[in-house]
Amino acid sequence: MKKTWFLLSALTLGACTSYQVPDSPTFSANSRWVIMPMVNHSNTPMAAEKAEQILSAQLYAKGINARIYPASDIKDLASILDSNAKRKNAQAWLATQNVDYVITGSVEEWHYKSGLDGEPAVGITLEVQSARSQATHWRATGTRSGWGRESVSGTGQMVIEELLDGLNIEKQ
């Protein structure tokens, strides 16, 4: 009976998540990292910015002290809503920095499902590129639906943590 319940539980929980996380090459913990703007494909405003902050904290926990692109001084509404302006400003800033790796990605999903339980649903893709050549060294994606009492941010943190488990960081 216990084996059946365990198998059923594992199948139920497994149906709520999906990850494609290859192992990365080994990155030095002393490398200089920058988090660049993520693309928000979700219907939730500011989802990418929320994911970037969680990503920054999770990278720090892995021993990577990544800097995040500076906030823009954009004041007019049209520019605030135009994510291309933010990316262009961040790219101009990046060109002046001495950086080894850039981590960026996209948010595909960041919301609560409709219905009585209102479970959180998060989908994120992360990518590590060389700052010099822009060659992609690693890419991973994951989705997760949480339980009715979980928060979207908490679910996002779990997805990002699971994705970053694929990063191989060499401790110095």
Side-chain angles (χ1 to χ4, degrees), residues 48 118 121 136 157:
T136 299
Q157 182 175 345

Side-chain angles (χ1 to χ4, degrees), residues 30-41:
N30 293 332
S31 299
R32 294 172 306 268
W33 291 67
V34 167
I35 298 170
M36 291 297 282
M38 295 178 74
V39 178
N40 186 6
H41 294 297

